[in-house]
Amino acid sequence: MSPLLSLCVFWLLPLVLMLQEHPPLDHGPRRSVPYGDNAHLFREEGVFNYSTMLLREDLDLLVLGAREAVYALDLNDISKKLASVKWEVTQQQKRECKNKGKDPEVECKNYIRILHKMKDNRMYVCGTNAFDPVCDYMSYADGKLTLQKKGEDGKGKCPFDPFQKYASIMVDNDLYSATSMNFLGSEPVLMRSSPVSIRTEFKSSWLNEPNFISMAQMSESKDNEVGDDDKVYLFFSETAVECDCYNKLVVSRVARVCKGDLGGQRTLQKKWTSFLKARIDCPVLESQLPHVIQDSYRWCDPQQNWKTCLFYAIFTPQSDTVGLSAVCAYRVSDISRVFAEGKYKTPVPVETSFVKWVMYSGEVPVPRPGACINNQAHKVGITQTLDLPDRTLQFIKDRPLMDQAIQPIGEKPLLVHRGATFTRIIVSKVQAADGEKYHVMYIGTEEGTVLKAVNYDGEMFIIEEIQLFQPPKPIKILKISDVTGQLYAGSDYGAAQIPLATCERSLSCVDCVLARDPYCGWDRVVGKCVSLSNSSRDLIQSVKEGNATLCPDTDPVKPMNCSIWPGGNLKLSCPSPSNLAQIRWQLDSHPLIPSARFQLQKDGLLIFNASDSDAGRYRCQSVERSKTDEYTETVAVYHVRIAPAGSGKSGQTSSQTQEGPSIVGLQAAVGLLVVALLALLAWNFYKGHLPLPCGKNNGGQPYEERGLNSHITYQEAGRPAEDKPLVSGRDSSSNNNHARAEAASNNAEENNAPKVNLPSLQYIDDESEI
């Protein structure tokens, strides 16, 4: 085995061993919510890429950045546009961009990428500006959005490429940004723009082909016993320098810098002296390669110390062979401890002409390299980073990478999901009826859906998956407003808004409790599933166990009457209230066994080639198991009767369609019609009214093969309609009828009945027309 391959195997071995200890948590959503259900949508024709958002709760606004436009939307209903401003590139800028080899209609536009609030209530906004990034100041007053058109240079603040990943945050009017400094994207940088510009070194040991993800500020100086400084954390992925494999290996990182960093006096002038980075792991079974971070969200309780803050992050595989996305959570205190106390990695040249990174075991300079200026530094006369000795600065310049990897809480993911790839995550905290507070995760996907999930004592439960955009477009940004209780999402297609609490989707007490949504509970008085925040009464809720035994008895389901011809087809509708439930059918209180004639579908039951024995009382039940018990609910009840042949009416149905009589009846009718037709033709030939056929009959029309099975669909209760047996004729459902004919033919073969092809006939209302 070559040294390079040996090194890769050695580096990945601990990860593989860790994966074997933790089985995956592969979960599906309990409920799937279709597009447009209870959502507000916003988009304008010709405008795309609604991927930048700023919540201005002080102004009741959602400021939305798109391609060459910024919108001010009503925070309570984003479908209402209050103001907008265009920010388009000039024709000259577009020509210059095109001359650089870029697409003039796609890349050579101004994509809004940065929107931040400043202390004076103005907004700082930056755009790609046809691969020449520029920034400006924007204000909202008297119902209007106004750009000041100052045109500040955006290099290092905003990406050149509209499709390049980036990150930014505004801290005390200082913009921290992670992007590329040049047109080619080959000079990645983490930079603070003002008042003193500080950035990273252009060295692969600092940033090696990174994809920047997100940034967050931590107020670690508050009540800090060692006098530490506030910090800014950066999450990104990059090609691993510590594993020089044949193929590039991408790893996830978290880096941090100190807010008070001013750079060094001689070494690291105007460069970060506090830049440290560490690998961040999210071990997922089935993957031999580490998953790659795609987004992160910082959650902090304002009433508690910063050490209780958490980072939630989503990870996706870097190999197409693994279809699992994951969510991992990390304590800020664990991350801080690695940077404050952990070992460093150091590069060591080896004989095979490449650099090997190993744990540094030598003497560490004092003050500690990469540390913020704290009480210990003050004791030795160092009050700012400009006072740091060159030995400390040179050490951190060569060794910014920590040896220890940061592991998630519990050393395993909170959620592993097989399905649409995760793109974004945001978290809200809510207090349930049991008095405990739960973190509800909202996870955006590549297919334009949002998963709503909660972790209950190690058990991850996906409450629902909501389709926000149609056609499906990847979710590019998520925001939550605690003021309005709404979730906001952006994609290339548009922006969407949905409430955090969607209790009205549960129509029964059992359904409401089994949803295990900490926002919702069943109100006995009004008989509805309502939000806890909107009710002062004690509600029935059991989020940890899904215990619905306290639910009152439900009213019996009103039966629906329906009928069908002998030999016809019938569909009885039964939409399942839950993806986790099983649907069971009963016929006259006996379990219905699926067969060729009784086919169970996701939304109902199909009865083929009905006979007299199929009449009776059909009951559809939803059976769902929680952690405590199994709960059965009756969803629908049908009284089915077989209509006698030749009867004019076959009973009351709900949303039904009768398309034809039985096979036997039609055989007799067709036989009589054929005899009559032959007699009529013979009479006309005898009288000379028709010439004898000598060859091809050009005027004749071929008979069409039509299915003769009835098809009844039940979609809504309480809509009686008169059903009249019809002989199957030409209609828009010829394909379906043909399929039914085949099914009937197959059933005939099974019963050794003769297979016949019957002509298409129309319903005859008056016998005198024959």
Side-chain angles (χ1 to χ4, degrees):
M1 185 179 293
S2 67
L4 290 177
L5 186 57
S6 301
L7 179 61
C8 291
V9 173
F10 177 77
W11 189 84
L12 290 173
L13 184 58
L15 179 61
V16 175
L17 293 176
M18 183 163 39
L19 296 180
Q20 295 175 349
E21 298 176 0
H22 304 290
L25 305 172
D26 193 1
H27 294 274
R30 181 182 182 271
R31 179 186 287 122
S32 298
V33 182
Y35 166 75
D37 189 350
N38 204 24
H40 294 295
L41 302 173
F42 173 82
R43 73 179 304 267
E44 282 199 346
E45 288 296 326
V47 180
F48 302 94
N49 203 262
Y50 303 81
S51 59
T52 310
M53 287 182 178
L54 174 63
L55 291 178
R56 290 299 305 269
E57 294 172 331
D58 55 324
L59 301 174
D60 287 331
L61 292 181
L62 174 70
V63 184
L64 179 65
R67 192 175 77 176
E68 303 203 316
V70 182
Y71 300 96
L73 309 178
D74 187 334
L75 195 61
N76 296 287
D77 183 358
I78 65 169
S79 62
K80 299 177 182 178
K81 182 178 72 172
L82 304 180
S84 65
V85 60
K86 294 291 186 180
W87 192 2
E88 301 173 334
V89 298
T90 64
Q91 290 299 320
Q92 176 64 25
Q93 290 173 321
K94 186 179 290 188
R95 283 192 296 269
E96 292 175 356
C97 177
K98 181 181 178 181
N99 292 337
K100 296 175 182 177
K102 303 302 178 182
D103 188 331
E105 299 304 320
V106 178
E107 297 171 299
C108 298
K109 301 281 188 177
N110 187 26
Y111 291 76
I112 307 302
R113 282 292 173 262
I114 289 178
L115 269 173
H116 293 300
K117 178 185 175 182
M118 305 190 68
K119 287 185 175 181
D120 59 3
N121 281 333
R122 291 184 302 168
M123 289 165 277
Y124 195 66
V125 54
C126 302
T128 59
N129 197 44
F131 272 77
D132 185 21
V134 65
C135 298
D136 202 353
Y137 296 88
M138 183 174 64
S139 58
Y140 178 80
D142 300 325
K144 293 183 179 180
L145 277 177
T146 306
L147 286 170
Q148 296 185 4
K149 299 183 179 180
K150 290 191 174 182
E152 290 185 359
D153 186 9
K155 294 182 179 62
K157 304 176 183 178
C158 178
F160 287 74
D161 189 337
F163 306 109
Q164 185 182 57
K165 292 188 175 181
Y166 68 101
S168 68
I169 189 173
M170 185 74 74
V171 180
D172 295 335
N173 276 8
D174 292 342
L175 180 69
Y176 292 76
S177 56
T179 183
S180 177
M181 286 286 290
N182 65 348
F183 177 87
L184 299 175
S186 58
E187 293 183 356
V189 64
L190 166 61
M191 185 174 74
R192 185 183 65 210
S193 298
S194 59
V196 179
S197 180
I198 301 290
R199 64 173 178 83
T200 48
E201 282 273 11
F202 293 132
K203 293 179 64 176
S204 61
S205 59
W206 284 51
L207 295 170
N208 189 26
E209 301 177 6
N211 276 321
F212 299 113
I213 300 301
S214 62
M215 302 177 77
Q217 184 228 355
M218 293 300 307
S219 301
E220 298 183 20
S221 62
K222 185 178 181 181
D223 300 327
N224 195 299
E225 60 275 8
V226 298
D228 208 348
D229 193 8
D230 291 346
K231 300 183 180 68
V232 172
Y233 287 85
L234 168 67
F235 291 87
F236 64 104
S237 62
E238 66 173 352
T239 302
V241 294
E242 66 269 35
C243 181
D244 195 359
C245 306
Y246 291 114
N247 295 322
K248 293 181 178 179
L249 181 70
V250 179
V251 296
S252 304
R253 305 279 200 208
V254 57
R256 68 106 173 102
V257 292
C258 301
K259 181 181 172 183
D261 197 336
L262 301 175
Q265 184 67 39
R266 292 172 295 275
T267 305
L268 292 179
Q269 287 186 13
K270 295 186 178 180
K271 307 292 194 311
W272 295 108
T273 67
S274 56
F275 178 83
L276 290 173
K277 64 179 182 178
R279 194 177 86 241
I280 184 168
D281 286 343
C282 184
V284 180
L285 195 65
E286 296 188 21
S287 175
Q288 295 183 350
L289 298 176
H291 274 47
V292 180
I293 189 170
Q294 300 298 329
D295 191 28
S296 70
Y297 179 76
R298 185 208 71 173
W299 186 90
C300 290
D301 187 338
Q303 307 299 325
Q304 296 187 16
N305 188 273
W306 63 270
K307 293 182 179 180
T308 63
C309 295
L310 302 175
F311 281 114
Y312 288 84
I314 57 173
F315 293 79
T316 59
Q318 56 183 303
S319 170
D320 294 335
T321 60
V322 181
L324 297 175
S325 299
V327 178
C328 282
Y330 306 86
R331 297 185 183 91
V332 174
S333 57
D334 292 340
I335 300 175
S336 179
R337 187 180 305 110
V338 169
F339 289 130
E341 304 172 5
K343 299 285 187 179
Y344 301 87
K345 277 191 180 294
T346 186
V348 177
V350 294
E351 295 179 357
T352 52
S353 72
F354 74 97
V355 175
K356 179 179 179 181
W357 286 78
V358 298
M359 185 182 72
Y360 179 78
S361 57
E363 182 183 355
V364 177
V366 178
R368 178 180 169 88
C372 301
I373 305 301
N374 54 22
N375 295 339
Q376 185 179 2
H378 283 287
K379 289 180 181 179
V380 295
I382 299 175
T383 59
Q384 56 184 350
T385 58
L386 294 171
D387 301 329
L388 289 171
D390 287 342
R391 185 165 177 261
T392 294
L393 297 178
Q394 191 62 48
F395 185 99
I396 199 61
K397 181 178 180 180
D398 298 334
R399 303 172 184 87
L401 179 61
M402 307 306 295
D403 180 69
Q404 181 181 348
I406 297 168
Q407 299 299 327
I409 298 174
E411 298 188 353
K412 63 181 180 180
L414 291 177
L415 170 66
V416 176
H417 180 68
R418 189 184 306 277
T421 304
F422 291 172
T423 58
R424 292 290 181 266
I425 185 171
I426 198 166
V427 181
S428 178
K429 190 173 185 179
V430 58
Q431 182 170 321
D434 59 9
E436 292 192 32
K437 295 182 179 180
Y438 298 95
H439 289 178
V440 183
M441 297 181 289
Y442 295 86
I443 305 165
T445 73
E446 286 278 358
E447 296 182 358
T449 64
V450 169
L451 300 177
K452 182 180 181 181
V454 189
N455 189 277
Y456 295 122
D457 294 337
E459 177 207 4
M460 179 52 66
F461 186 79
I462 301 179
I463 297 170
E464 60 187 5
E465 182 174 19
I466 310 160
Q467 184 73 51
L468 289 185
F469 298 104
Q470 195 67 262
K473 295 292 182 182
I475 304 291
K476 292 196 168 182
I477 190 168
L478 289 174
K479 294 285 186 181
I480 281 180
S481 171
D482 292 326
V483 173
T484 62
Q486 301 284 317
L487 172 74
Y488 307 90
S491 71
D492 283 339
Y493 178 79
Q497 168 194 352
I498 57 173
L500 299 178
T502 53
C503 310
E504 66 281 355
R505 294 195 180 113
S506 297
L507 302 180
S508 69
C509 178
V510 172
D511 188 24
C512 181
V513 174
L514 293 182
R516 299 173 67 183
D517 190 337
Y519 283 98
C520 305
W522 184 261
D523 192 324
R524 299 180 182 88
V525 177
V526 299
K528 290 183 179 180
C529 192
V530 299
S531 172
L532 267 68
S533 61
N534 296 333
S535 177
S536 58
R537 293 186 287 267
D538 291 335
L539 305 180
I540 302 175
Q541 185 190 69
S542 176
V543 293
K544 287 186 177 181
E545 298 179 339
N547 186 355
T549 56
L550 294 178
C551 283
D553 295 335
T554 57
D555 295 332
V557 177
K558 184 178 180 180
M560 289 178 283
N561 298 320
C562 55
S563 58
I564 187 175
W565 288 99
N569 297 341
L570 176 67
K571 181 174 181 181
L572 304 179
S573 178
C574 181
S576 175
S578 167
N579 296 330
L580 305 181
Q582 292 182 341
I583 295 299
R584 297 177 185 173
W585 284 89
Q586 292 180 346
L587 174 56
D588 294 333
S589 300
H590 298 290
L592 187 67
I593 301 175
S595 63
R597 294 180 54 250
F598 293 102
Q599 293 190 8
L600 299 181
Q601 295 187 330
K602 186 177 181 180
D603 60 344
L605 171 68
L606 274 178
I607 305 174
F608 289 103
N609 195 19
S611 63
D612 291 339
S613 61
D614 297 331
R617 182 185 181 93
Y618 288 80
R619 180 186 301 273
C620 172
Q621 294 179 321
S622 169
V623 182
E624 185 172 355
R625 172 165 290 280
S626 70
K627 296 183 69 175
T628 58
D629 203 352
E630 185 175 87
Y631 298 94
T632 302
E633 276 195 298
T634 299
V635 180
V637 178
Y638 298 96
H639 282 304
V640 177
R641 73 181 187 92
I642 306 300
S647 63
K649 295 183 181 181
S650 57
Q652 297 298 319
T653 67
S654 175
S655 297
Q656 61 180 330
T657 305
Q658 294 278 4
E659 294 181 359
S662 68
I663 297 293
V664 176
L666 274 179
Q667 285 177 345
V670 169
L672 292 174
L673 287 175
V674 169
V675 172
L677 181 61
L678 291 176
L680 183 62
L681 288 174
W683 173 258
N684 279 277
F685 285 134
Y686 176 75
K687 289 297 183 179
H689 297 158
L690 291 175
L692 291 173
C694 298
K696 184 176 181 181
N697 183 7
N698 295 327
Q701 296 295 331
Y703 289 119
E704 293 185 6
E705 295 183 6
R706 296 290 178 181
L708 302 176
N709 296 332
S710 299
H711 178 71
I712 304 177
T713 302
Y714 298 87
Q715 295 178 343
E716 299 179 7
R719 294 174 57 186
E722 183 181 63
D723 63 309
K724 178 179 289 189
L726 300 178
V727 180
S728 188
R730 297 182 183 180
D731 55 28
S732 60
S733 59
S734 61
N735 292 333
N736 293 334
N737 290 335
H738 185 66
R740 299 183 197 116
E742 291 180 352
S745 177
N746 293 336
N747 292 332
E749 290 178 1
E750 294 177 2
N751 299 323
N752 297 321
K755 179 179 179 181
V756 295
N757 291 330
L758 301 176
S760 173
L761 302 176
Q762 298 293 335
Y763 172 74
I764 300 174
D765 193 35
D766 189 350
E767 293 184 358
S768 65
E769 296 179 7
I770 299 178

